[in-house]
Amino acid sequence: MSAHEEIVCPWCQTEIVWDPEIGPEDECPHCFNELNDYRSIDLKVKQTGQKLRFNEQEYADSEEDLALAWDDSDEPLDKYGEKVQLISDEQEEAPECPSCHEFMLHAGTEVTSETAFTPVISRTLGSAFLTGPFTSDVYVCPSCFRVEKILSDTDRLLMVERIKND
């Protein structure tokens, strides 16, 4: 390599200037990714009807249509995503999943009975700020399937009033 050869990091696109006394960099000083061919592939764009070329080897196009979902289904994979988006658009509120940050879907409500819930008596209030029965809105993440419960609007207001007035 000559001192005038331009090196650009394939990961962050930063131009790397190296010291001729030390030699070329092994890793990018900006993003710290390796600059050799490790974790790098060369892809060549193919025209419709041409065979796929990868590392100068020819592979016949697969007979399998990868756009089809889960083997036996005739519906495309993105059909699930489309339906999730339509369901999400119908909702007034769509909280973000704490795990994967996707918008969650409102799956329904859950009523917690007085016998299924044991309230904590706050020393500050001298009473419980949340008592059964109360209703929670149940949300499910369509990506990681995490389930979250959020106190319903009416029970939120009731809780706020109990805290303010006691």
Side-chain angles (χ1 to χ4, degrees):
M1 265 190 213
S2 68
H4 299 292
E5 188 174 336
E6 193 175 294
I7 300 173
V8 177
C9 175
W11 300 94
C12 68
Q13 304 300 316
T14 302
E15 183 180 349
I16 299 166
V17 179
W18 51 277
D19 186 352
E21 291 178 14
I22 297 173
E25 299 281 345
D26 290 332
E27 65 180 29
C28 175
H30 181 71
C31 68
F32 303 107
N33 277 303
E34 295 180 29
L35 294 175
N36 58 15
D37 288 336
Y38 179 68
R39 290 186 281 177
S40 297
I41 59 172
D42 291 326
L43 296 177
K44 294 181 178 26
V45 178
K46 70 178 191 89
Q47 299 296 322
T48 306
Q50 286 183 336
K51 292 183 179 178
L52 182 62
R53 292 179 154 255
F54 183 74
N55 287 343
E56 300 303 318
Q57 295 176 355
E58 291 186 15
Y59 296 97
D61 287 336
S62 174
E63 297 296 321
E64 180 182 350
D65 185 3
L66 298 179
L68 298 178
W70 299 296
D71 300 331
D72 297 332
S73 175
D74 289 337
E75 296 184 15
L77 274 173
D78 58 58
K79 189 78 167 174
Y80 176 75
E82 290 173 9
K83 293 289 186 178
V84 165
Q85 184 63 44
L86 291 173
I87 294 168
S88 182
D89 291 344
E90 295 172 359
Q91 297 178 190
E92 288 181 27
E93 184 177 10
E96 190 176 277
C97 177
S99 295
C100 67
H101 306 290
E102 289 288 328
F103 288 120
M104 300 182 86
L105 302 177
H106 187 230
T109 57
E110 179 179 82
V111 178
T112 305
S113 67
E114 198 170 344
T115 57
F117 180 73
T118 306
V120 173
I121 308 297
S122 167
R123 282 190 237 156
T124 303
L125 298 176
S127 63
F129 56 84
L130 183 64
T131 59
F134 60 88
T135 306
S136 300
D137 292 322
V138 180
Y139 290 90
V140 179
C141 178
S143 182
C144 70
F145 303 102
R146 181 180 178 133
V147 176
E148 291 287 321
K149 297 178 188 175
I150 300 174
L151 201 58
S152 68
D153 290 338
T154 55
D155 288 314
R156 286 185 221 178
L157 293 172
L158 187 59
M159 185 183 104
V160 169
E161 288 301 318
R162 283 184 183 148
I163 292 174
K164 284 187 348 186
N165 294 333
D166 284 345

